[in-house]
């Protein structure tokens, strides 16, 4: 029974001519089997009657009969295969959206397991079977299922894309290498795949490494920020604790002063009350004596006794009419305490600002002036660290970088990240403009100074009028004219701050700035008067020729 249920493999039932399962199998005298139509057509197209397998010749054309045994075995094999395919189809998954369907299935499309690069067809498990069992189909190249197999054919020559042109970085067919890519560096697809894969992996690894380094950089920035935050918190706690102590100490001193004045008033009142009580006691004694005398009916005795009483025990003679205790005056006590507190706060604030200035001075940079940007009326020193406003327009090339209408000059160095600081000496000047500007500012014609136009500057006009060049202009109140102005920029933070270096005082800060370009030092050694007087510059009218030089400093002590 086991032998009866045994079914040979498909290879035993394949016709060597059509490579398919036998149809009406016949057997030649040499023992080989063929489909009846296949061997008949083979002999019809050939002059000799040879066996296609062993090449044995026959003088007469054999009269072939259907081999009933093999035919029955083929029938059983086909039936078994169909049952197996039916069972397999019911177990296979139906193709879902996004999955590659089988190109052979009719009706319900099953999910493809492989795609054939030779047949350009995708197969489900059932229809893939011949490619796994048939010797001729086993040589086909199978890959994981993909859509658009036609895209793997050369559109020009209709041949499979089997090679890779490294010169043009494209996939080509065999004909392409002979025609269009004859002199190019062409390699097999697999080699190109490996090289491109290695290249992509190296590129990805490089990108990963860059991002890991960026993560380290960001973490380092966070650590630095945390250190700065801890330092600021510690300093803030120290300052505010000190201020709190000063306030509490001032309050206690104020309370003690008021209490001392009140005690003095109370002591004065107690002394007067005691004196008055003593007089009252004396008067009460006298009243008792007078009452006793008044009981006597001897008038002479009364008069004589009263005279003796006034002589021996005169009554108190102090005049209390103008005597009084005035409440202590506390006028100015609180004000004086507040003034003292303000002085203490001012000293602490000054120390705080001095510490802040020292911190920003750590970012001092070396700056020089760029002669290619200087207006023709400006004169730069040999070391490019001093600028004078001359009275003659020099004949200079009008290059794109040069200011043509405003007597301005930019720094040579540019800054596009991080923090930087520099100082400008303005001692004795009555008019000037300084700050930073972005690279794309207008260099020709009228210039309006504002952050919107790429300028973050402050200026001095008319000896003592200080202004921050914002969109609406901000008048600045300074206690004293600065001798040196420090400029600090935090590019990422969007901050531009100006300091009075000697007074260690903050003059003004531009906050919330958005920097996307390179920044440069920006200077105007003298105000160029404009008819509208609207923070603009015009070359025809010039005032204040005494403002002729500005000295640049790298740090608080380093003269450049």
């Amino acid at each position: 029974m086991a032998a009866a249920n045994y079914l040979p493999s498909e290879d035993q039932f394949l016709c060597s001519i059509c490579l398919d399962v036998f149809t009406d199998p016949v057997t030649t005298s040499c023992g080989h089997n063929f489909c009846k139509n296949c061997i008949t057509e083979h002999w019809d197209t050939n002059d000799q009657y040879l066996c296609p397998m062993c090449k044995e010749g026959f003088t007469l054309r054999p009269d072939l009969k259907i081999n009933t045994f093999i035919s029955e075995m083929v029938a059983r094999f086909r039936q078994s295969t169909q049952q197996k395919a039916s069972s397999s189809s019911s177990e296979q998954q139906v193709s879902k959206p996004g999955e590659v369907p089988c190109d052979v299935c009719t009706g319900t499309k099953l999910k493809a397991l492989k795609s054939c690069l030779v047949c350009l067809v995708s197969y489900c498990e059932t229809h893939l079977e011949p490619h796994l069992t048939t010797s001729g189909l086993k040589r086909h190249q199978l890959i994981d299922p993909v859509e658009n197999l036609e895209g793997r054919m050369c559109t020009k020559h209709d041949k499979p894309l089997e090679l890779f042109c490294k010169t043009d970085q494209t996939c080509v067919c065999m004909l392409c290498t002979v025609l269009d890519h004859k002199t190019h560096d062409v390699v097999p697809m697999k080699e190109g795949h490996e090289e491109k894969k290695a290249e992509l992996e190296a590129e990805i690894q490089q990108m990963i490494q860059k991002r890991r380094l960026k993560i380290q950089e960001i973490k380092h920035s966070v650590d630095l920020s945390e250190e700065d935050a801890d330092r600021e918190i510690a300093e803030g706690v120290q300052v505010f604790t000190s201020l709190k102590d000063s306030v509490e100490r001032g309050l206690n001193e104020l309370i003690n002063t008021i209490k001392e004045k009140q005690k003095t008033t109370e002591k004065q009142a107690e002394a007067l009350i005691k004196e008055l009580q003593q007089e009252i006691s004396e008067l009460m004694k006298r009243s008792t004596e007078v009452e006793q005398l008044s009981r006597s009916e001897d008038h002479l005795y009364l008069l004589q006794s009263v005279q003796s009483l006034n002589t021996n025990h005169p009554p108190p003679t102090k005049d209390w009419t103008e005597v009084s205790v005035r409440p202590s005056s506390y006028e100015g006590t609180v004000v004086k305490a507040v003034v003292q507190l303000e002085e203490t706060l001012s000293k602490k604030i000054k120390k705080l600002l001095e510490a802040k200035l020292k911190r920003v001075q750590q970012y001092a940079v070396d700056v020089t002036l760029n002669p290619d940007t200087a207006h023709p009326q400006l004169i730069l020193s040999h070391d490019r660290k001093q600028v004078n406003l001359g009275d003659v327009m020099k004949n200079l090339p009008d290059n794109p970088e040069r200011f043509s209408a405003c007597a301005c000059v930019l720094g040579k160095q540019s800054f596009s990240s991080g923090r930087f600081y520099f100082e400008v000496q303005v001692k004795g000047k009555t008019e000037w403009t300084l700050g930073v500007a972005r690279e794309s500012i207008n260099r020709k014609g009228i210039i309006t100074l504002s952050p919107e136009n790429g300028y973050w500057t402050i200026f001095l006009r008319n000896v003592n009028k200080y202004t921050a060049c914002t969109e609406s202009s901000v008048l600045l109140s300074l206690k004293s004219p600065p001798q040196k102005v420090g400029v600090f920029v935090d590019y990422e933070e969007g901050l531009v701050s100006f300091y009075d270096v000697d007074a260690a005082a903050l003059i003004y800060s531009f906050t919330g700035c958005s920097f996307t370009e390179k920044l440069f030092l920006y200077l105007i050694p003298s105000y160029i008067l404009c008819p509208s007087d609207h923070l603009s510059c015009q070359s025809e009218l010039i005032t204040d020729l005494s403002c002729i030089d500005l000295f640049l400093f790298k740090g608080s002590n380093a003269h450049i």
Side-chain angles (χ1 to χ4, degrees):
M1 292 297 293
N5 293 329
Y6 169 74
L7 287 177
S9 66
E10 185 179 12
D11 288 343
Q12 295 176 274
F13 300 110
L14 294 180
C15 173
S16 60
I17 297 176
C18 68
L19 299 178
D20 203 352
V21 179
F22 292 127
T23 301
D24 296 333
V26 295
T27 304
T28 62
S29 60
C30 58
H32 294 112
N33 303 307
F34 305 96
C35 296
K36 185 176 182 179
N37 288 337
C38 291
I39 191 63
T40 299
E41 291 178 359
H42 177 72
W43 284 339
D44 288 343
T45 57
N46 290 277
D47 297 334
Q48 296 179 333
Y49 306 124
L50 301 177
C51 173
M53 293 291 290
C54 65
K55 305 303 181 182
E56 181 179 342
F58 307 102
T59 306
L60 298 176
R61 180 168 179 165
D63 184 14
L64 301 176
K65 304 295 183 180
I66 294 176
N67 189 325
T68 57
F69 175 76
I70 296 178
S71 179
E72 183 180 345
M73 293 294 291
V74 169
R76 293 178 61 185
F77 176 79
R78 288 183 185 275
Q79 183 180 3
S80 175
T81 303
Q82 290 175 356
Q83 291 176 352
K84 182 179 178 182
S86 176
S87 175
S88 176
S89 297
S90 62
E91 295 176 358
Q92 294 182 58
Q93 295 181 357
V94 177
S95 175
K96 299 177 182 178
E99 295 179 339
V100 179
C102 176
D103 294 326
V104 183
C105 287
T106 58
T108 302
K109 295 284 189 179
L110 299 181
K111 177 182 177 181
L113 294 184
K114 294 291 181 179
S115 295
C116 178
L117 294 180
V118 178
C119 304
L120 297 179
V121 175
S122 297
Y123 298 102
C124 64
E125 182 179 354
T126 300
H127 296 116
L128 181 64
E129 179 107 9
H131 278 75
L132 303 177
T133 58
T134 305
S135 58
L137 298 177
K138 284 182 179 180
R139 293 191 293 269
H140 289 192
Q141 185 177 356
L142 298 176
I143 62 173
D144 290 334
V146 294
E147 294 181 342
N148 189 26
L149 286 167
E150 293 79 6
R152 296 176 176 270
M153 300 292 290
C154 177
T155 56
K156 189 172 184 179
H157 305 113
D158 198 26
K159 297 291 183 181
L161 298 173
E162 301 175 319
L163 303 169
F164 180 72
C165 177
K166 297 173 67 175
T167 304
D168 292 338
Q169 291 292 299
T170 185
C171 296
V172 296
C173 68
M174 291 296 295
L175 286 178
C176 289
T177 61
V178 179
L179 301 174
D180 302 332
H181 299 262
K182 185 176 182 180
T183 60
H184 293 182
D185 185 7
V186 179
V187 297
M189 185 78 72
K190 184 177 181 180
E191 182 179 339
H193 166 268
E194 295 299 326
E195 289 184 3
K196 182 60 68 174
K197 178 182 176 182
E199 180 182 333
L200 290 175
E201 288 178 350
E203 182 179 351
I204 291 174
Q205 289 301 320
Q206 185 178 9
M207 294 173 66
I208 292 174
Q209 184 63 22
K210 286 183 178 179
R211 280 149 182 78
R212 285 176 176 168
L213 291 175
K214 180 57 68 174
I215 290 175
Q216 293 179 1
E217 178 184 335
I218 292 173
K219 287 183 177 179
H220 181 63
S221 298
V222 172
D223 292 339
L224 292 178
S225 178
E226 186 176 1
E227 292 176 3
D228 291 343
D230 292 342
R231 184 182 63 250
E232 290 293 328
I233 290 174
E235 184 175 335
V237 170
Q238 180 182 358
V239 170
F240 277 91
T241 300
S242 177
L243 293 178
K244 178 183 175 183
D245 294 342
S246 298
V247 171
E248 290 179 350
R249 186 166 54 252
L251 177 60
N252 291 333
E253 291 176 357
L254 172 64
I255 292 173
N256 291 335
T257 300
I258 294 174
K259 285 183 176 180
E260 287 296 326
K261 286 188 176 183
Q262 177 63 17
K263 286 182 179 179
T264 301
T265 301
E266 289 176 355
K267 288 180 179 181
Q268 181 183 2
E270 288 174 357
L272 292 176
I273 291 172
K274 183 177 181 180
E275 186 177 353
L276 285 170
Q277 287 176 341
Q278 288 178 351
E279 291 188 3
I280 290 173
S281 178
E282 293 294 330
L283 289 172
M284 289 182 68
K285 290 181 181 180
R286 191 176 187 84
S287 175
T288 300
E289 293 176 355
V290 171
E291 183 179 357
Q292 291 176 353
L293 290 174
S294 64
R295 293 174 183 172
S296 176
E297 295 180 355
D298 187 347
H299 300 294
L300 177 62
Y301 174 74
L302 173 63
L303 295 173
Q304 290 176 344
S305 297
V306 169
Q307 184 67 29
S308 175
L309 184 62
N310 288 333
T311 302
N312 297 328
H313 301 285
T317 59
K318 187 173 181 178
D319 184 6
W320 292 90
T321 304
E322 300 298 329
V323 177
S324 65
V325 176
R326 295 182 180 180
S328 298
S329 175
Y330 303 111
E331 290 295 331
T333 305
V334 175
V335 174
K336 182 179 179 182
V338 172
V339 170
Q340 291 177 345
L341 179 60
E342 184 179 8
E343 291 177 356
T344 301
L345 293 178
S346 297
K347 291 179 181 178
K348 293 185 180 298
I349 292 173
K350 182 175 176 58
K351 289 183 179 180
L352 187 64
L353 290 174
E354 288 175 348
K356 175 66 176 177
L357 182 58
K358 286 183 179 179
R359 283 202 298 272
V360 301
Q361 285 175 338
Q362 295 176 0
Y363 300 98
V365 294
D366 191 359
V367 287
T368 55
L369 299 175
N370 186 355
D372 293 334
T373 66
H375 183 271
Q377 199 166 350
L378 295 180
I379 302 173
L380 272 59
S381 63
H382 179 71
D383 58 4
R384 305 289 188 258
K385 295 171 185 175
Q386 180 179 356
V387 56
N388 301 334
L389 180 64
D391 53 2
V392 176
M393 294 282 288
K394 298 188 293 295
N395 185 16
L396 297 175
D398 187 18
N399 55 57
E401 295 83 10
R402 190 179 307 283
F403 291 95
S404 62
C406 179
C408 320
V409 63
L410 294 180
K412 182 71 173 178
Q413 295 73 23
S414 64
F415 306 93
S416 56
S417 64
R419 303 168 180 173
F420 62 94
Y421 172 86
F422 59 86
E423 294 178 358
V424 179
Q425 180 175 309
V426 294
K427 181 179 180 181
K429 310 308 170 189
T430 58
E431 293 185 351
W432 46 259
T433 301
L434 65 92
V436 293
R438 67 188 180 205
E439 187 175 24
S440 64
I441 56 173
N442 176 32
R443 316 281 179 105
K444 312 298 179 182
I446 299 299
I447 293 175
T448 301
L449 300 178
S450 70
E452 289 75 15
N453 294 326
Y455 301 87
W456 293 268
T457 59
I458 62 174
F459 68 68
L460 168 64
R461 301 286 183 268
N462 301 326
V463 182
N464 59 3
K465 181 181 177 182
Y466 296 90
T467 305
C469 301
T470 62
E471 186 176 6
S472 57
S473 301
V474 177
L475 292 177
L476 306 176
S477 177
L478 276 64
K479 292 184 179 180
S480 60
Q483 307 298 305
K484 281 188 295 185
V485 177
V487 183
F488 172 71
V489 178
D490 189 328
Y491 196 95
E492 285 73 21
E493 187 70 19
L495 174 69
V496 181
S497 295
F498 298 85
Y499 293 90
D500 181 339
V501 177
D502 296 326
L506 178 66
I507 298 175
Y508 185 79
S509 286
F510 291 91
T511 59
C513 309
S514 180
F515 301 130
T516 57
E517 302 179 24
K518 296 178 180 179
L519 297 180
F520 296 84
L521 159 68
Y522 177 83
L523 288 177
I524 304 178
S526 179
Y527 178 43
I528 308 303
L529 186 63
C530 198
S532 62
D533 195 20
H534 188 257
L535 306 184
S536 301
C537 301
Q538 188 170 327
S539 61
E540 287 79 3
L541 301 174
I542 302 177
T543 63
D544 190 17
L545 293 180
S546 63
C547 300
I548 57 173
D549 55 3
L550 294 170
F551 294 91
L552 305 182
F553 288 78
K554 176 180 179 181
S556 58
N557 298 316
H559 183 280
I560 299 180

